Amino acid sequence: MHPGAWIVWAACAGWVAFSTTNPFYLVVLLGAAWIVHASHRREGPASRSFRVFLLFGLWAMGTRTALVFLGTVEASSVTLALFEGFRLGVLLAVFGTFNSVTDPFGILRFAPRRFHEPALASALALSLAPRTIAATAKVREAQRLRGFRGRRWRMLPSLAVPVLENGMEAALTLAESMDARGHGSGPRTRYRPQAWGPGSWVVASTASLGAVAFLGAVIEHSGGLSPSTFPLEWPEVSSVLLIAVALLAVPALVSDGNDS
Amino acid sequence: MNPAVVFENVTFSYPESDEPALKDVSLVIPEGSFALVAGRTGSGKSTLLRAINGLVPHFSGGTFEGRVELQGRSTIDQPPRYLAGVVAFVPQDPDASFVLDRVEDELAYAMENLAVPPVTMRRRVEEVLDLMSLAELRDRSVRSLSGGERQRVAVAAALTAGPRILVLDEPTSQLDPQGAEDVLAGLQRLVHDLGLTVVLAEHRLERVAGFADLAIVCDAGSVSAGEPEPTLSEAGLGPPVARLARLAGWAETPLTVRDARQVAHRYRLPEPDLAPRFRQPPVLELVGVGASYGSRTALEDVSLSLSPGEVAALIGRNGAGKTTLLRCATGLHEVSKGTVSIAGDPPEPGRTIALCPQEPGTVLYKDTVVAEVAATFAARGLLDRDKVSDLLNRFGLAAHASDHPRDLSAGEQLLVATAAIVATGASVLLLDEPTRGLDPESKGLLGGFLRDFASRGGAVMFATHDVELVAAVADRVVLLAGGEVIADGSPSEVLGDSHVFSPQMTRVFGPGWLTPEQVARALVPS
């Protein structure tokens, strides 16, 4: 798949999550993100990013809901917090899928020359998550080997310090390596550029169609995008929008070989 | 011959350091030479290598005086990226230097930056994939490869750019003996056929000394260079055959097994002592153990036991399953069949069994060496100053007790990490490639510790590619291939019987002879 097709998919899925707090649409979107991750994830530690971002999402949802309990607790406010927390969680899961299916530096190679610098910064930022995930797993193991058990917060320094220090060292080595290998020395050529083939067309167009349907619903104020929680009402669901969300799962049906 | 690299009175200090890392270095490396850079850890080897392509001082900062020229171009005037077409650099840890995900893309990365035409790129990638035997891995993700495979990818990625000078920092540290031989022979072919200049740092001189035609010895920032034999001898460095020559007082110092044989036929040796050792009842037992990663089988029906007092070495090709075996024995990787037990109970990592991981950096988090070791004792609820300082002494780390672990050399960090793991008090100690990047001195220290640990009733097993370490330290060798144990016995039996895994003394004098010390004691003129 062309990396551009994944950017389009992620942008559309992100927009859909952003436009609604309706849990029914969001649950379908979460399923779509999972199935796309499961069918296109890369080898190695990067494939763990979906799970990590999902956990991060659950934590965000929990925190968002817990905040409500600081004020007046009512069914309405708790539900609203749950809906908004869930939206945030799904958004993070979509990002996790994007991380697990694309190589950030692959996107860098495909970026046009004039966007090279911002693309480099984004690639570095995107690669941080999988790198940190891999580093954390190794350090957690080292803690076990030293017999560190017990409360999480007491173990935090022995986890955070090596992860951050190794991360810093790795980032420096990467920067050196890129420079030593001529990065940014002038015009460049492309090795076997990835074709934007039928598979990429299918992924990009179905994702766009789904996003456009939600754009329409936002403009028309229809489809139950933001269910009322004050008063508390059962969310309205539009079958058109359900189909639109489901379109984001289409990449799962497209094999990576379709483009070559 | 034209010079490829010229150092003119180079003095360099890292930021916030009083002691220069390079002191008034003047050096000429002629075009088409295979230069070996040797010296202790912390002697300035890595700094010298990084100064060749300008990473020092452009990335390191610090104060730099003098001049480095590559084929007439100064490294100071422009950042390293503009020299990428002339010089390629392979760093010690290939993992952190990979930019792209797929092997094939990684190989093309430097060429893309240098605007090499696509047709040429295709051809060069194919050539280098064959040269480094990587064709089968071309579509894999670099992050999913084994350590040895990654190292070959890193060398390949440097070669594709078509540099005239290739600088490599310990490029075979994670390769098995045959893999290392292949990579080095490949480099030598490029030197001979294409006039490439290779500058390579290595501690394991037994691997490289035969290929080098120039030796560069670093010692506390000073550099001397010349013909390999006299230069290395003068610095007291050399492979085991050279050590034997020193111990036995030979007039000439051989650097290769072949040279040593020509001297050795003037001497004779008695029959080696091959008496079997007494073994205590085992403490660690693996019975019919199998393990896999997804659909890929890593271990198949491995049965193995380890007794108190034993130091066992686990050897085998890259990807043979050594790391997986250690992880299964520790309980870090789930076995798909069979059982693992320590004195009858399942293994408890950090309590009944200890494993030193490959990367010491994952262990270290305290500000001082002494605090690092004390933290492990504290986790057991014991904080005994005497125990901490005793352990530091046994690792030769007492002088570094209040240093920051991350300021130490890679070899010293490894010793600190090992000490912090040993402090768990487990009586079974496993180590995964414990001598990567260690100089002979630190290696001797670690070897001494392992023997001492075993003599106090502990059991040790370490995975390694370093056959000379096995010869010096182990009293038992387990050979793994394709996830199965294919040989298990004394070093004399297993190493003596092997083409690839035999130490230099065995190659010269036959099975049963393992270390220069052992041979020197028994050698008599014929």
Side-chain angles (χ1 to χ4, degrees):
Chain A
M1 207 81 69
H2 194 283
W6 286 124
I7 296 183
V8 172
W9 179 86
C12 292
W15 156 248
V16 168
F18 180 72
S19 66
T20 179
T21 51
N22 188 321
F24 293 106
Y25 301 142
L26 288 172
V27 120
V28 177
L29 181 57
L30 182 63
W34 176 79
I35 196 171
V36 169
H37 149 79
S39 52
H40 288 278
R41 63 178 181 191
R42 295 180 286 150
E43 286 182 280
S47 66
R48 263 177 276 172
S49 42
F50 179 76
R51 210 184 62 191
V52 168
F53 276 97
L54 190 64
L55 290 173
F56 185 34
L58 282 174
W59 175 81
M61 191 173 152
T63 315
R64 175 70 187 86
T65 316
L67 283 176
V68 173
F69 289 89
L70 296 175
T72 19
V73 182
E74 283 172 51
S76 292
S77 51
V78 173
T79 312
L80 179 66
L82 273 173
F83 283 2
E84 289 190 344
F86 189 42
R87 170 169 71 177
L88 189 56
V90 172
L91 206 55
L92 284 164
V94 165
F95 188 66
T97 298
F98 181 60
N99 254 304
S100 108
V101 299
T102 50
D103 173 11
F105 289 90
I107 296 175
L108 173 66
R109 288 169 68 223
F110 128 92
R113 245 194 92 205
R114 41 200 294 225
F115 295 117
H116 201 65
E117 291 305 314
L120 175 61
S122 328
L124 282 168
L126 276 174
S127 74
L128 191 68
R131 275 170 205 262
T132 311
I133 293 165
T136 309
K138 279 185 194 160
V139 175
R140 284 283 296 275
E141 209 170 271
Q143 289 181 321
R144 273 185 79 191
L145 291 169
R146 279 177 87 173
F148 289 0
R149 284 170 185 81
R151 292 180 184 278
R152 284 271 167 106
W153 62 268
R154 283 180 62 186
M155 284 163 60
L156 196 63
S158 67
L159 179 67
V161 173
V163 168
L164 293 176
E165 297 233 12
N166 292 352
M168 282 289 282
E169 280 168 23
L172 273 176
T173 314
L174 181 65
E176 276 188 6
S177 163
M178 291 176 75
D179 204 283
R181 291 161 72 190
H183 183 90
S185 60
R188 54 203 310 276
T189 46
R190 295 248 307 280
Y191 174 75
R192 300 183 78 175
Q194 177 94 44
W196 182 286
S200 303
W201 276 120
V202 170
V203 169
S205 51
T206 51
S208 309
L209 205 60
V212 166
F214 271 77
L215 183 65
V218 168
I219 294 168
E220 302 260 310
H221 294 287
S222 64
L225 291 182
S226 316
S228 160
T229 54
F230 209 78
L232 208 52
E233 280 169 14
W234 188 253
E236 175 200 339
V237 180
S238 133
S239 50
V240 175
L241 289 187
L242 274 182
I243 293 168
V245 190
L247 283 177
L248 288 157
V250 165
L253 307 172
V254 180
S255 98
D256 283 318
N258 279 13
D259 273 356
S260 51
Chain B
M1 234 179 294
N2 289 328
V5 182
V6 179
F7 278 65
E8 255 173 52
N9 305 98
V10 174
T11 298
F12 170 75
S13 308
Y14 283 100
E16 293 163 46
S17 165
D18 311 327
E19 190 67 9
L22 296 176
K23 287 181 202 155
D24 195 23
V25 173
S26 292
L27 177 69
V28 176
I29 302 174
E31 229 172 48
S33 49
F34 194 122
L36 162 65
V37 182
R40 287 195 51 185
T41 321
S43 59
K45 284 200 313 288
S46 288
T47 312
L48 184 80
L49 295 186
R50 298 157 71 80
I52 294 178
N53 76 339
L55 286 175
V56 164
H58 286 283
F59 269 80
S60 61
T63 51
F64 186 93
E65 286 164 45
R67 204 174 155 74
V68 178
E69 268 183 17
L70 302 180
Q71 302 186 325
R73 291 165 74 180
S74 159
T75 59
I76 285 292
D77 305 338
Q78 44 198 190
R81 54 179 171 273
Y82 294 107
L83 295 168
V86 182
V87 57
F89 179 65
V90 181
Q92 211 165 19
D93 175 13
D95 219 11
S97 69
F98 289 139
V99 179
L100 295 166
D101 200 44
R102 262 175 77 221
V103 168
E104 200 178 335
D105 294 339
E106 181 66 21
L107 258 53
Y109 178 71
M111 291 192 289
E112 291 186 323
N113 289 329
L114 297 170
V116 173
V119 183
T120 318
M121 281 201 264
R122 279 304 291 267
R123 203 193 60 233
R124 280 201 211 155
V125 166
E126 298 303 325
E127 281 171 4
V128 173
L129 281 172
D130 286 338
L131 185 75
M132 289 284 135
S133 334
L134 288 168
E136 280 172 21
L137 304 177
R138 62 188 305 157
D139 280 320
R140 293 272 298 274
S141 156
V142 288
R143 322 258 166 231
S144 72
L145 302 179
S146 79
E149 289 166 342
R150 286 181 206 188
Q151 229 162 13
R152 292 214 307 273
V153 172
V155 175
L159 282 176
T160 48
R164 298 302 304 151
I165 303 161
L166 184 59
V167 181
L168 310 103
D169 200 351
E170 296 189 42
T172 69
S173 64
Q174 298 181 57
L175 297 182
D176 59 57
Q178 188 61 52
E181 174 82 20
D182 291 348
V183 166
L184 292 168
L187 291 177
Q188 194 187 37
R189 203 155 68 231
L190 295 172
V191 169
H192 287 179
D193 295 354
L194 305 175
L196 189 78
T197 307
V198 167
V199 186
L200 181 150
E202 181 62 65
H203 285 305
R204 283 185 243 173
L205 300 178
E206 62 275 10
R207 287 186 168 182
V208 213
F211 292 105
D213 42 34
L214 174 72
I216 300 169
V217 173
C218 298
D219 181 21
S222 303
V223 170
S224 54
E227 291 278 313
E229 196 253 280
T231 314
L232 292 174
S233 301
E234 191 154 319
L237 297 166
V241 284
R243 184 164 169 73
L244 174 66
R246 266 199 299 285
L247 290 171
W250 293 356
E252 56 275 77
T253 310
L255 289 180
T256 63
V257 168
R258 198 185 150 149
D259 295 345
R261 272 202 205 102
Q262 293 177 350
V263 188
H265 71 107
R266 284 181 245 145
Y267 296 84
R268 64 195 163 75
L269 280 169
E271 280 300 299
D273 173 23
L274 295 175
R277 271 174 22 92
F278 169 73
R279 277 187 78 193
Q280 294 183 28
V283 52
L284 168 67
E285 278 187 288
L286 284 81
V287 182
V289 165
S292 56
Y293 295 94
S295 59
R296 196 166 58 82
T297 305
L299 287 182
E300 226 161 328
D301 196 27
V302 169
S303 292
L304 185 69
S305 67
L306 189 67
S307 300
E310 259 183 339
V311 179
L314 192 57
I315 60 172
R317 222 181 278 133
N318 283 117
K322 300 186 294 297
T323 298
T324 311
L325 177 58
L326 295 182
R327 292 173 60 80
C328 285
T330 324
L332 289 178
H333 190 93
E334 215 168 310
V335 300
S336 55
K337 58 177 192 225
T339 56
V340 178
S341 65
I342 293 175
D345 296 318
E348 276 185 74
R351 295 243 166 100
T352 57
I353 186 162
L355 168 68
C356 288
Q358 272 188 14
E359 291 154 68
T362 59
V363 174
L364 310 172
Y365 77 103
K366 289 285 189 186
D367 291 339
T368 63
V369 170
V370 66
E372 198 69 71
V373 175
T376 311
F377 279 109
R380 294 162 63 195
L382 291 171
L383 198 48
D384 186 339
R385 275 161 182 265
D386 295 341
K387 282 200 166 147
V388 175
S389 59
D390 174 53
L391 198 56
L392 290 182
N393 280 329
R394 284 164 71 193
F395 276 96
L397 288 167
H400 293 296
S402 51
D403 290 350
H404 198 293
R406 286 181 186 268
D407 288 342
L408 303 176
S409 71
E412 287 160 343
Q413 283 190 18
L414 201 126
L415 293 178
V416 177
T418 309
I421 297 272
V422 166
T424 54
S427 63
V428 183
L429 175 61
L430 310 183
L431 306 99
D432 198 355
E433 291 190 39
T435 57
R436 261 172 64 183
L438 284 197
D439 60 17
E441 199 166 323
S442 315
K443 213 153 87 173
L445 209 56
L446 184 75
F449 174 81
L450 296 182
R451 295 256 33 125
D452 176 55
F453 185 86
S455 71
R456 296 179 187 214
V460 177
M461 180 155 68
F462 61 96
T464 191
H465 292 305
D466 189 339
V467 288
E468 301 297 341
L469 176 82
V470 177
V473 175
D475 46 31
R476 184 169 149 215
V477 181
V478 178
L479 176 58
L480 221 54
E484 291 175 81
V485 174
I486 58 164
D488 183 352
S490 73
S492 305
E493 289 164 3
V494 180
L495 302 181
D497 201 27
S498 163
H499 210 54
V500 176
F501 295 102
S502 49
Q504 286 197 320
M505 290 303 116
T506 306
R507 291 182 185 208
V508 180
F509 299 102
W513 299 106
L514 297 169
T515 63
E517 288 75 10
Q518 177 203 11
V519 172
R521 274 195 303 271
L523 209 58
V524 281
S526 57

